[in-house]
Structure formats: structure tokens, C-alpha cells
Amino acid sequence: MLEPATLEERRIYYREEWDITQVPDFIIQSVENREFGFDHFGKGPNDRYKVFNTPEYLKRFLKAKTPYAAYCSVAFYEKPRKRDGWIKSELVFDVDAKDIPVRTCGCDDVCEICLGEAKEIVKGLIDTLKGDLGLKNIHLVYSGRGYHLRFLDENVMEMNSDVRSQILKYVVGADLPRDKYDDDYEIYNLEHFSIPFGYPRVFTQRVKYTIEHLTPDSKLDDVNQKLLKDVLTNRNLLERNQWGLFKTNIGPIRYKKVIKAITSLNMGLVDAKVTIDLKRILRLPSSLHSKVSMRCTEVKNIETFDPFRDAVPDFVWERKG
Amino acid sequence: MIPISFINPLSDEGKQIVIEDGGDLERIYDENTELIDTIYSIKAQEISDDSLIPKNYSDLVIKRVEWFVKRKGDPEYKHKKYAYLFNRKITKFDTIAFYILCQAIGIKFGPNSRESRAIVELQGYLTENRLEELLTSERREITQQILNNLIVQDRIRWTHLADLISSKKINMQDLVLKDGDVILDFEDFIEFFGDVIKKRQPEKMYNLFIGNRIKELIIIKMIMQKTEDYIKSVHQRANIIEPNPKLLKIADEVSEVLSKEIRHYSSFSGREAVKASPLNYDQFPPCIKKALEGIKSGGRNEVIVLFLTPFLSYSRLNPSVFRSNTTLKVSDADPDLNITRNEILPMIYESANRCNPPLFDDQPQEKININAKLGFGMHDDLSLQHEGETHWYTPMSCDKVKMNMPSLCKPDDICKRLKEINPLFYYIDQMKNKGQ
């Protein structure tokens, strides 16, 4: 498992195992408006601007070419062959297990542990995107090395990169919430963890996740080994949401340092470029991720989904046998 | 009771005022005794100097603009000289002046001009200042009334504020969201969050987080957006209808006031303002130095056009852009465009040529894009005639650099000391340290 697929295995996959019915409906229904791209030699998707007027043409292409990787645009175009006449784009969040800023596994590539952590992050993002932002029509795709969270909610699909960038910063907790609030009479200092709603609540959840996953080897800006050690020693308090005590034990100034460092780390929870790029191409669900021999798979139930069971092509099992 | 149009001239009530007035543009330079009498009747107004009193609609338009620039930039600003602008008695005249101003700017300069941006900002600032002068009860009442008029549904979806979020007039993080709705009502707030708020009174939390603050923010920003939309619609109609010469004259006068006042106040208001001076490579932040070396992988266009062009042009021509609160054009700092042509563009072009492949080899159209980002429209040449057709892009923040071009961002100690806000601040800081 996780070894590259050979040319022969790619052929077996597309000709015997794969079928067009495995491509999710949210792609099939808009196939003629999307740009497709292919990587034939493992050197990046340089065969781009491909258009298929019907799913049947896409099927014939994949079965004939058995590409190293297949992609399709998140954008819908009037003229996808020229990437012209942009209509709208899915709102996408790309969580790549390899690029998560704090990983407890310490592996060089991806493994069961960091894929599990990617899944945890995705669950947090979904909660916020649904619960706060009220987004609907969500499709979760296991990419082969992480997850693509794809929203086809008409309310956001026409939004530009600036709005998407603000959505991104909101859901990952990329900005320190302000700590001074005033009514008509007085100014109050309120820490993020004492505000159980709005952005401060989201921020607290993300910070908690990151602290819970720090390891003694984690690198945080402006946080020395001693401070990191203190954070690790006291983080059990956060299991019971005892933030006040955690802050007191760390020391208020040092606490600020930690929170600031984590804020900038949070930006790395998802690949920001993918979210703000309206014309991105993403791995086609059901296609083969040849570098790791895994199937890019739409996830129907995140709780029960196990990539090492549900996204492994048959030829890999046979390879083992 | 506060007239709605005093706060929102674009309301139905405001439109009705214009209809009832008849909209006769021929008399905007005629002395208006009703206006003069109204202003003299306002006790808080200083009347010792006759020049403080607008005599007609044209004067009132100019006074509005003058107030805006002085209020933002003049350390010796005297509120009582403009007290009438904050008195509800002025509503009828002020509403008409608002429409004259927007129409003049829309016809003459269009929605993307420096003048248009200033007028939109003016209206937002005026609304904010007017609200601040009201009694708390009046303020709450008028805010709710305007909000009800502006928003048709019971609840606002955050997606309806997308334009305001996109133009950064509203920060998403300031909104309290639940299932896509922006929570504004006290009852909604208690229903959704009453149970999870511990150790504090939910009423207090509501007042701190929502209260009137968010509502006011939303109406101010919506009025700004609607002003911008109105100027745009006037501009579109102006292509069909012959413009009134009196409006064109007022537009020129407004532009002159903006330029004159901005030049005057920007020369001393920036307490730590940095003088424009020749670019000094040694003082550039690491990201700019890296970009100047040329980009070897993807993202050449973004780096050259969106990152380098604004940084180099503002560093050279208007380094105090973020301090001055005023919008300048390139030609305000470089009237004959010699600096832009001989110093700034060559530096941008050289970096473009150092890219792999050289940017203009396969994408020569990016030269036009560079002109556009300097505010000169989508044209091959840099011509004063086209200035204002596009917006002079301000330097990208560190946040945006991290998001869009992470490979460029390798902060050094100076970046960290300056809290990584904007590469321009790094340059300013270094230039000051070197006494340049």
C-alpha cells in the first residue's frame, strides 16, 4: 500500500475496476461546463483545457489513456475549453495530511495517523461551515493524501477570492480575535475562550485542536522549548475546557505568545491557495492517485470512512496476495 | 424624530424629497434663502464668518467635501464650523446636495475614480458621525428603522453582505453567525446562545457583541455600498443622456477641493509620514528582494503585477499611503509621470524578465495589467488621460502574501519586530532608520 502504481496497474484499474458510474453526480451533472486536466507521465497535469460534452466521452478517454492522474475544475465555464465565461466555482478546502502544521506521527509522507488527523480537522471545518455559515450541498472527497471539502452551495459559488479568503480565515481561526469590547459605557477585556459564540468560539476550537496535537518537536514562532514544555504539561486542562487555569499556569504574557504562534500556524490547516483560486483543478473523484495507489473517493459517511479500507483499489489487494 | 433621509439619503423618503423638489439643476448656483435661514437658525453653528455658511446647493456640496477632508486630516478641525451638517433641520437640503454630488461625480469621473471613492467614504463617515451625535434612544430607533428598510427579510444571511465582505467594509469575524444568519435581534441571540453563556449575563454579552454596534456597522456599510452603486448607475446613464454642464462644473470643483485639501493636509498631518524618495534596494524586505530576482516557478503574474507593482510604486511615490487616510493618484505625486516611467516601471520590467520563462515572452498583455494596477486603465501606454479608469492598487498585506505566494514570505527579525503587517512598513521603517 502507498506505493506507486505501475503502468500495467493503471490499465487494470481503469479498464477493469473503474467505471463512469463511480464519478459522483455533482461532477457528472456539470461535466460539459468543467475543464478537465490530465497528468500522463507523473510530471504534473500538463494536458489541460480538455472538455467532455458527455460522461461517455470522459469514460472513453480514461479507459483509453489510463492517465497517471485525472483532474477537473472547480469552476464552471461557458467555454471550458478556453477557460472562458466563468460562471461560478465550488468553494473548496484542501486538507493534505502531509502539510498539516502539527502532526503527531512524525512520518515523512502520509500515514494512518496523520490521515486520521486530517479527518479530525475536516470534521471541525464542516461543523463551522454548516453551523455558523449555514452552507449546504457539501461533498467530501478523500484525495489520496487528505481530504477535499467541496461546497456546491449556490449562495457561495459566485463569490470572489476576497470573500473566500475571509471565509477561510474565519473557519481555520487565522486571526487573533480582539479582546476588548465596549458597550455605550465601558470597555471590557474578554478572552476568546470566555466567548462561546461567533468567531471567538471557532478560534478557541482550532487553538484547542492545535495544542492537543503539539509534540515536543513542534516548532512555534517565538515559543522556546521551556514554554512548549509547559504547554504540553498543562494541556490536559483543556480537555475540561479549563482555559483560565491553563492561562494562569502558563503565565498571561507567555500565553499570548503561544496563542499568537498558533494563530499563524492555523493558516496551514488547509491549503489557502486552493480555496482562493477560482480556476483550480482538483483530483477527479474515482480516479487513481498513482503515486500512492489509492482511489480518490467521495466520502459518504466521514465517521465510518477508512481510507485504508474504502479507498484501496482491488489491484493493490491482489498485489499483496 | 430623526428623518430617515438624514441618515440614509438613498431611502424612499430621500428619493421623495428629490421628487418634491423638482430636481431643477439650473438653480444649484442660485442663492437659497431657505437654506441660509435654516443654517443661521442652528444654535451650535458658528456664524461669525460669512464664508462658513453655504449660500446655495453648490456651496453645500463643496462644504460636505471640505468637512470630510478637514475632519480626517486637519488637527485644528473645528466642529462648530460645520455644525449644520449634524442638525436634522438640514435634511432636505443635505439630501438634495447628496444627489447633486453623486450625479456630478458619476457623470464626470465614474465609479472607479479617486473622487468616487472619496465620496463613498465621505458618506460613510458622515453617517457614522451623525449617528454619534444622536441620543442613545434616537440612535437605536433610527438604526432599527433603516435596517428594516434596507433588509427585506426578518433575518439577514451573511451571504447578502458578500459585497461588503469582499470590499472589506465588513469583517466576517465581527458578525455573530448561526446557520448562515447574522444574529442581530436580542431574542435570537438569547434563543441560540443563552444556554451556553456561563458566568456572565447574556444581556451584557449581547450588548457587547451585537447591541447597536453591528447594526450600525451594517447600515453604514450598506449606505456606502448603495452610494457606490448609485454613482455607478449614474455613470452608465451618462453615456446615453447629455450631461448637465452645471454638474460637470461642480464635479471639477469637488475634485479641486479634494486635491487641494489633500495636498495641504498630507504635507503635515502624517506625524510620522515618510517623504517620497528614490527607491533603495538595500532597505527592501526579504519578500520584495526575492520577487525582484524573478520567479522561477508558477505565480509569475501575481508576483509581478499584484505584488511588486503596488509595492514599488507606493514605496517610491506615496509611502505614507496607509497613514494619510486619503486617496492619491500616481500623478498627484508624479505629475509628469517621469518617475513612474524612468524608475518604477524599469524595475518591474526587469524583474518580469528575470522570471522563468520571462513574463512578457508568453504574456505580453501583463504590461497592460501593470498600467491598470497603477490606475491608468487597461491601455498599452501610461497616459494621464486614462488615469482614474482603474484603481491604484495598494501594497499587498503580509497576510495576503502568505496566502497567495507563501514561497516569498521568509520573515526576518525586522519583519517579526514589525508584526508582519505589510512589506511597505518594513521599507518605511528601514528608510527612517537610515535617516533617508
Side-chain angles (χ1 to χ4, degrees), chain B residues 118-302:
Chain B
I119 298 319
V120 170
E121 207 187 319
L122 180 165
Q123 199 55 35
Y125 204 49
L126 190 62
T127 309
E128 192 182 332
N129 279 259
R130 281 182 176 166
L131 285 169
E132 277 171 10
E133 296 233 342
L134 300 178
L135 299 171
T136 308
S137 57
E138 287 178 328
R139 194 168 166 173
R140 291 209 171 128
E141 191 185 345
I142 192 78
T143 302
Q144 193 58 51
Q145 264 184 327
I146 293 176
L147 203 59
N148 292 345
N149 286 344
L150 286 171
I151 293 153
V152 185
Q153 303 90 339
D154 283 348
R155 286 183 184 155
I156 317 174
R157 303 287 293 173
W158 72 269
T159 48
H160 294 154
L161 305 177
D163 285 348
L164 301 174
I165 293 170
S166 169
S167 54
K168 302 206 168 47
K169 291 188 180 86
I170 282 185
N171 187 340
M172 241 179 127
Q173 294 164 11
D174 283 335
L175 304 173
V176 176
L177 301 172
K178 175 73 183 164
D179 297 331
D181 289 329
V182 181
I183 302 302
L184 295 174
D185 278 347
F186 177 67
E187 289 77 14
D188 283 345
F189 181 79
I190 296 301
E191 183 188 336
F192 294 126
F193 308 117
D195 291 344
V196 293
I197 297 172
K198 314 277 183 210
K199 296 180 191 168
R200 287 178 204 278
Q201 287 182 328
E203 292 80 1
K204 189 90 202 160
M205 292 298 256
Y206 171 80
N207 284 331
L208 288 176
F209 282 85
I210 302 170
N212 227 34
R213 192 181 67 86
I214 293 285
K215 291 181 191 171
E216 279 185 8
L217 183 68
I218 290 175
I219 65 164
I220 291 167
K221 304 306 179 187
M222 283 186 102
I223 289 169
M224 287 172 78
Q225 192 68 55
K226 284 186 179 290
T227 304
E228 200 173 312
D229 295 345
Y230 179 64
I231 291 174
K232 201 173 179 178
S233 75
V234 168
H235 183 68
Q236 283 162 354
R237 271 180 285 145
N239 295 329
I240 315 163
I241 306 163
E242 182 75 19
N244 183 302
K246 286 201 163 65
L247 286 179
L248 294 177
K249 190 174 166 215
I250 284 203
D252 284 335
E253 287 167 2
V254 168
S255 181
E256 178 56 29
V257 170
L258 280 171
S259 297
K260 199 176 97 191
E261 302 277 338
I262 285 169
R263 269 198 296 272
H264 178 66
Y265 295 117
S266 58
S267 62
F268 69 85
S269 70
R271 288 162 293 280
E272 294 177 65
V274 176
K275 274 190 186 167
S277 59
L279 292 167
N280 184 337
Y281 174 87
D282 293 335
Q283 313 310 336
F284 287 155
C287 52
I288 295 292
K289 285 184 177 163
K290 203 152 190 259
L292 286 169
E293 287 167 11
I295 299 301
K296 311 293 179 220
S297 52
R300 291 171 302 157
N301 319 44
E302 273 181 312

Side-chain angles (χ1 to χ4, degrees), chain A residues 7-271:
Chain A
L7 183 60
E8 186 51 29
E9 286 174 330
R10 278 156 48 190
R11 284 190 184 133
I12 292 170
Y13 177 75
Y14 280 110
R15 291 176 189 167
E16 296 175 17
E17 206 175 312
W18 177 86
D19 189 72
I20 191 71
T21 55
Q22 294 165 12
V23 180
D25 282 351
F26 76 89
I27 305 271
I28 292 292
Q29 283 161 2
S30 50
V31 79
E32 71 277 16
N33 291 115
R34 297 194 190 241
E35 178 214 352
F36 285 77
F38 300 94
D39 173 2
H40 298 292
F41 309 105
K43 302 219 157 122
N46 44 22
D47 180 15
R48 292 195 59 173
Y49 299 90
K50 283 268 183 281
V51 177
F52 302 99
N53 287 330
T54 67
E56 185 59 26
Y57 286 117
L58 172 63
K59 174 183 160 184
R60 284 169 50 163
F61 184 93
L62 283 171
K63 288 206 179 272
K65 299 275 189 177
T66 64
Y68 183 84
Y71 303 84
C72 88
S73 65
V74 298
F76 294 49
Y77 303 98
E78 278 161 16
K79 294 175 190 163
R81 193 178 299 283
K82 293 180 177 171
R83 282 206 274 170
D84 201 12
W86 180 83
I87 302 168
K88 57 187 178 180
S89 295
E90 297 172 26
L91 171 66
V92 179
F93 300 88
D94 177 14
V95 181
D96 192 322
K98 189 174 181 301
D99 299 327
I100 299 172
V102 286
R103 306 194 303 165
T104 56
C105 56
C107 78
D108 291 333
D109 202 26
V110 292
C111 68
E112 220 160 323
I113 298 169
C114 54
L115 279 170
E117 287 166 353
K119 191 164 141 179
E120 252 184 278
I121 292 168
V122 165
K123 280 158 75 174
L125 298 178
I126 293 176
D127 276 352
T128 306
L129 287 157
K130 280 177 158 180
D132 283 28
L133 276 67
L135 296 188
K136 297 189 173 61
N137 206 350
I138 164 178
H139 298 271
L140 178 62
V141 176
Y142 171 70
S143 68
R145 304 161 64 84
Y147 293 89
H148 294 155
L149 195 49
R150 308 173 67 152
F151 285 90
L152 282 94
D153 186 323
E154 292 296 338
N155 291 310
V156 291
M157 288 182 76
E158 287 178 27
M159 286 180 178
N160 62 25
S161 295
D162 288 329
V163 183
R164 287 168 196 246
S165 128
Q166 283 222 38
I167 297 175
L168 174 75
K169 288 167 90 178
Y170 183 99
V171 299
V172 300
D175 288 324
L176 270 176
R178 59 200 177 98
D179 55 5
K180 287 191 174 49
Y181 298 85
D182 65 302
D183 54 15
D184 293 334
Y185 312 100
E186 248 181 290
I187 295 174
Y188 294 82
N189 277 307
L190 291 176
E191 281 285 5
H192 62 93
F193 51 77
S194 63
I195 305 163
F197 52 82
Y199 177 68
R201 178 179 145 271
V202 177
F203 179 79
T204 303
Q205 289 171 343
R206 301 293 174 264
V207 170
K208 185 176 174 183
Y209 170 86
T210 304
I211 292 179
E212 282 174 342
H213 289 80
L214 288 172
T215 68
D217 298 326
S218 296
K219 296 271 174 282
L220 294 176
D221 272 357
D222 232 11
V223 172
N224 59 27
Q225 278 301 309
K226 167 83 176 73
L227 178 51
L228 178 62
K229 203 177 155 204
D230 289 350
V231 170
L232 298 178
T233 310
N234 284 285
R235 69 177 166 189
N236 59 323
L237 292 167
L238 301 185
E239 285 168 24
R240 297 183 295 282
N241 290 320
Q242 292 177 299
W243 284 88
L245 198 52
F246 177 76
K247 182 182 164 188
T248 309
N249 289 359
I250 301 286
I253 295 171
R254 296 169 86 221
Y255 176 80
K256 262 194 176 166
K257 264 190 183 181
V258 172
I259 296 302
K260 202 179 154 213
I262 290 177
T263 308
S264 57
L265 219 59
N266 282 352
M267 199 61 191
L269 291 173
V270 300
D271 184 344

